[in-house]
Amino acid sequence: MHKPLTRQNRFDAARKDAGMLELGVCYYPEQWPREKWDEDARRMVELGLAWVRIGEFAWSHIEPQSGIFQWEWMDEAVEVLGCAGLKVILGTPTAAPPKWLVDRYPDILPVDARGVVRKFGARRHYCFSSRRYRVEAARITEVLVRRYGENPFVHAWQTDNEYGDHDTIHSYSDEAKLAFREWLAARYGTVEAMNRAWGTQFWSMHYNSFDEVDLPNNLVEEPTPTHLVDYYRFSSDQVKSFNKAQVDIIRRHSPGRSVTHNFMNQNTDFDHYKVGEDIDIASWDVYPMGGLINGRLSDEEKARYLRVGDPDQTAFNHDIYRAVGKGRVWVMEQQPGPVNWAAHNQSPADGMVRLWTWLAYAHGVDMVSYFRWRQAPFAQEQFHAGLLLPNSEVDQGYLEVAQVTEEMTRLPEGEAREKAEVAIVLDYESRFAARALPQGQGYAASAIALDWYSAIARLGVDVDVIGQHADLSGYKLVVAPDLVIPDAAFIARLKASGAKALFGPRSGSKTRDMHIPADLPPGPLADLLDFRVTRVESLPEYHSEPVLYGNTSHAVTGWRELIRTTETVLATFEGEHRQGSPAIIGNAKARYVGTLPRGEFLSKLMGDTLGWADVKGLPDLGDLRLARRGKLHFAFNYGSTPASVPASPTADFLVGGRELAPVDVAIWTQTP
């Protein structure tokens, strides 16, 4: 039975030394015959895996009927995995409530924006605002954690699974309506204050009580943007409180174990920083192939990167979740081959699973777990690859993990990702604001921010992602591509810091009540730059306008602002319409961009900005990407041709060399 562990080992095993890469895998013992478990566990350990995640979809196997529990299979699974030498991450199973629970309490189901109830038969079929479901989720979490909270093989917990997947943050149920009204009452105190914030004198929208407020769906016209942003804020707070209820139970009955949640790629439906306040480690699920198909790049670029993914999207998300986890970040699900859920599901190039693993480590990730151990021959994910084929033969991902485990032995321990010189601001309320009031089809704040991040990454510069709450000490440059709702305290701290600042269009354009600032945009940014935005235009993609920046003219489209300023004008619009009006302005501390530069224009802007901030960059790296973690330097080749690694003559290569083949990795140390 259980092999006793010391208290030190039991409680600290999940709190390993920073800088040591560990590997894991997602496993579903309930989906496989018992006679496979021992062999699977043995092969996992032989491969070099240290962690295994189980249980996040196991509710109906744990409790097949109300109050009737079947623990034997999970007891044995935990025992088999733990005795083999694996550390178990146990998931709370609340992402997939069982059919008997749905039949008993149908009001737990979410309702989409059309008012249609979303039925049982997949997963994430619950409404965050359902009071009944909150009781049931706490109940199953309590019995699970009471049983396994002190188990020596359970070293960490995952709450639920992938908040936001399948567009499930926003529910329009009656329960959500009641909870939203309560949230509004707590926020505003009086309905008169809400009416002022929402501007309800417009279109005769006045409310006499909070009980009159409906959810912002199925309206004839769009709702007031404040109504919509408040609904997004409310929905985000519902996720935080739902998650915190589980975390509190885990803290009570499983002290010393780390708690995580597996977030998703490019999801801004809720405030991840707030959820991150309650957990120990932020983890996320890495699927670059689907991310490419669904992502920002043009069709031509998608064809070019078809089997390697967007060179910057994955790295950007590693940096986001490093911030959410306050420096501690895991990959809970790493794609090991083709998946099943995108519009098209191409295979990654041989070598990409290895590359993605080292990319994660370079960006501060301490544990990479692959999804999944064995490909399922049944149900919805039959086409989703695993490390093993359905018949248990090794697949390509397995071979690449084996290569990583060998390469790990060449690296020194204890290397940690250091604070970068450049930070990019991701503010969730600003994303809510842009979603509520895009002022033009095709405006995508997430894509714009990733474009700016990519332009910096192509110059070989590490970047941190921060929120407005972040400590700004040590940064030379803070970049805010879309800070629609700036916090005055953040702007004051930025002003007092040693960092220079670059702001993108729309920054400072709205108050927290989604109003135009009283003295016009940019609101609090006026403490850094003397200008006013008097007009904005969203322009169709078929129209472009020339901008003169330096001695070069660049075509821009999508967005244009009319700026009145006393600051130095760094770029001007040169088309027939208001020729000579400022496009970029600045002073010694801050700069503002009143349009959407792309391509060569954006690259030149970022290169100039880095120089202005005294940040050393490199010439455009093309398909090569660099990163640093402590003494370790990394290079990743996303291109189809060999690339030269810009390492110093004193470089000591631990993995790879100066000439880097396509889909290859180099790791080295060098003296300054």
Side-chain angles (χ1 to χ4, degrees):
M1 298 301 290
H2 295 327
K3 297 179 180 179
L5 299 180
T6 67
R7 183 178 182 85
Q8 179 72 26
N9 288 338
R10 182 182 298 176
F11 293 162
D12 292 348
R15 301 178 183 276
K16 61 187 182 58
D17 294 337
M20 294 171 58
L21 175 63
E22 290 190 308
L23 305 179
V25 72
C26 303
Y27 187 54
Y28 300 91
E30 69 272 23
Q31 297 178 8
W32 306 107
R34 168 63 184 86
E35 54 267 24
K36 286 185 179 288
W37 296 359
D38 294 278
E39 179 187 1
D40 285 343
R42 175 183 56 79
R43 293 179 72 183
M44 290 174 193
V45 173
E46 288 176 352
L47 181 58
L49 306 182
W51 290 87
V52 58
R53 183 192 68 171
I54 66 171
E56 78 274 17
F57 294 124
W59 192 338
S60 66
H61 298 276
I62 295 169
E63 189 182 18
Q65 299 179 51
S66 178
I68 298 175
F69 295 94
Q70 293 181 350
W71 297 111
E72 293 80 7
W73 73 270
M74 182 170 278
D75 289 347
E76 191 168 4
V78 170
E79 187 84 10
V80 166
L81 296 167
C83 287
L86 294 159
K87 294 180 283 190
V88 174
I89 304 167
L90 191 52
T92 63
T94 50
K99 185 64 163 63
W100 62 259
L101 185 64
V102 172
D103 289 345
R104 179 175 291 184
Y105 304 114
D107 59 344
I108 72 174
L109 292 170
V111 177
D112 71 14
R114 300 168 299 165
V116 176
V117 176
R118 305 179 76 174
K119 299 189 296 183
F120 175 88
R123 57 181 179 175
R124 297 223 55 77
H125 45 276
Y126 68 82
C127 173
F128 282 100
S129 295
S130 168
R131 290 167 292 182
R132 170 55 61 183
Y133 191 63
R134 285 181 173 240
V135 169
E136 291 296 319
R139 181 186 63 82
I140 191 64
T141 300
E142 180 95 19
V143 296
L144 184 72
V145 181
R146 278 185 178 273
R147 188 170 188 90
Y148 298 105
E150 296 284 351
N151 188 296
F153 300 133
V154 174
H155 290 263
W157 292 87
Q158 175 189 294
T159 57
D160 204 87
N161 188 79
E162 292 185 336
Y163 295 142
D165 195 16
H166 311 303
D167 190 23
T168 51
I169 297 301
H170 305 124
S171 176
Y172 299 87
S173 66
D174 288 342
E175 287 280 275
K177 179 172 64 176
L178 294 174
F180 183 46
R181 291 169 175 174
E182 293 174 356
W183 184 92
L184 291 170
R187 178 177 178 85
Y188 290 106
T190 66
V191 71
E192 290 79 10
M194 186 194 75
N195 278 314
R196 287 192 296 273
W198 287 17
T200 57
Q201 62 269 42
F202 195 81
W203 285 355
S204 189
M205 296 183 296
H206 182 83
Y207 296 95
N208 292 308
S209 76
F210 292 112
D211 290 340
E212 294 180 351
V213 177
D214 282 324
L215 297 173
N217 65 313
N218 287 333
L219 279 65
V220 173
E221 182 61 272
E222 70 267 12
T224 171
T226 321
H227 184 174
L228 196 50
V229 169
D230 273 347
Y231 173 70
Y232 294 154
R233 289 167 172 152
F234 152 76
S235 299
S236 177
D237 286 352
Q238 294 296 85
V239 178
K240 175 180 171 61
S241 61
F242 180 88
N243 184 76
K244 187 176 185 302
Q246 295 194 18
V247 174
D248 289 346
I249 293 168
I250 294 168
R251 299 271 189 242
R252 195 158 56 243
H253 300 300
S254 192
R257 274 73 170 183
S258 292
V259 182
T260 188
H261 176 77
N262 57 329
F263 298 100
M264 298 180 65
N265 173 56
Q266 299 293 100
N267 183 282
T268 54
D269 288 346
F270 63 97
D271 190 327
H272 293 63
Y273 299 130
K274 288 187 176 181
V275 175
E277 291 170 354
D278 300 316
I279 59 179
D280 302 301
I281 303 168
S283 56
W284 76 287
D285 295 348
V286 183
Y287 292 96
M289 295 289 89
L292 173 83
I293 295 297
N294 297 338
R296 67 185 173 116
L297 299 180
S298 67
D299 287 347
E300 180 181 1
E301 290 171 311
K302 288 179 181 179
R304 180 181 175 192
Y305 294 119
L306 184 68
R307 299 192 185 280
V308 298
D310 183 328
D312 299 300
Q313 185 183 79
T314 300
F316 185 34
N317 279 269
H318 287 321
D319 295 339
I320 289 170
Y321 292 118
R322 193 174 66 251
V324 171
K326 304 171 287 294
R328 298 190 68 194
V329 57
W330 284 352
V331 167
M332 191 59 73
E333 298 182 15
Q334 173 61 66
Q335 174 179 2
V339 299
N340 66 295
W341 46 263
H344 305 283
N345 296 288
Q346 72 278 22
S347 176
D350 290 352
M352 281 310 300
V353 174
R354 168 180 173 257
L355 186 150
W356 290 326
T357 302
W358 284 123
L359 179 74
Y361 182 64
H363 282 264
V365 173
D366 290 324
M367 194 276 287
V368 175
S369 170
Y370 303 92
F371 187 90
R372 47 190 283 164
W373 175 243
R374 183 186 291 105
Q375 183 177 349
F378 47 79
Q380 286 92 331
E381 295 181 347
Q382 296 180 42
F383 287 115
H384 197 304
L387 297 182
L388 302 182
L389 296 171
N391 66 352
S392 297
E393 292 181 31
V394 300
D395 202 355
Q396 176 66 25
Y398 183 102
L399 301 176
E400 295 183 32
V401 173
Q403 184 176 354
V404 170
T405 59
E406 186 280 323
E407 291 169 340
M408 286 165 51
T409 64
R410 310 180 202 172
L411 270 58
E413 298 178 357
E415 297 302 311
R417 173 88 174 197
E418 298 174 352
K419 197 170 190 177
E421 293 183 319
V422 178
I424 192 165
V425 180
L426 191 163
D427 179 66
Y428 287 93
E429 286 208 341
S430 292
R431 295 291 174 86
F432 299 164
R435 180 174 181 170
L437 204 63
Q439 186 59 10
Q441 292 183 2
Y443 183 89
S446 292
I448 292 165
L450 183 50
D451 284 345
W452 285 41
Y453 175 95
S454 180
I456 299 171
R458 288 174 66 103
L459 302 177
V461 175
D462 285 331
V463 180
D464 289 343
V465 176
I466 63 172
Q468 296 198 71
H469 58 283
D471 174 14
L472 300 177
S473 62
Y475 291 122
K476 291 185 176 181
L477 175 64
V478 174
V479 177
D482 57 301
L483 191 59
V484 177
I485 305 177
D487 180 66
F490 169 72
I491 299 302
R493 289 189 293 111
L494 183 56
K495 184 177 182 179
S497 76
K500 296 182 184 296
L502 176 70
F503 295 95
R506 304 190 66 165
S507 293
S509 61
K510 293 290 176 283
T511 68
R512 288 205 76 213
D513 287 337
M514 287 296 291
H515 297 184
I516 295 172
D519 197 23
L520 299 181
L525 268 62
D527 286 346
L528 296 173
L529 286 156
D530 180 25
F531 76 102
R532 297 295 182 272
V533 176
T534 60
R535 179 171 295 179
V536 299
E537 299 178 83
S538 61
L539 302 173
E541 290 296 320
Y542 53 77
H543 173 81
S544 64
E545 298 195 0
V547 169
L548 185 64
Y549 179 58
N551 297 319
T552 307
S553 180
H554 301 274
V556 299
T557 190
W559 194 265
R560 174 176 176 170
E561 297 181 353
L562 186 63
I563 294 173
R564 184 174 69 225
T565 186
T566 63
E567 303 287 6
T568 300
V569 176
L570 303 174
T572 55
F573 290 101
E574 294 299 310
E576 295 180 0
H577 181 67
R578 305 210 180 197
Q579 185 178 35
S581 65
I584 304 175
I585 62 169
N587 56 35
K589 177 67 176 180
R591 293 179 175 180
Y592 183 86
V593 184
T595 187
L596 291 173
R598 293 188 173 95
E600 291 183 3
F601 184 12
L602 182 59
S603 179
K604 178 173 173 50
L605 173 63
M606 288 304 170
D608 292 346
T609 302
L610 292 175
W612 167 63
D614 194 29
V615 176
K616 184 179 179 180
L618 297 171
D620 193 321
L621 294 169
D623 295 328
L624 195 68
R625 292 295 182 272
L626 305 179
R628 287 189 300 170
R629 178 171 178 147
K631 297 189 296 291
L632 297 175
H633 295 249
F634 297 79
F636 307 93
N637 188 359
Y638 288 86
S640 58
T641 59
S644 296
V645 173
S648 76
T650 61
D652 179 17
F653 281 87
L654 307 173
V655 174
R658 293 185 185 277
E659 288 301 309
L660 197 59
V663 194
D664 204 358
V665 178
I667 308 174
W668 71 97
T669 60
Q670 64 187 36
T671 55

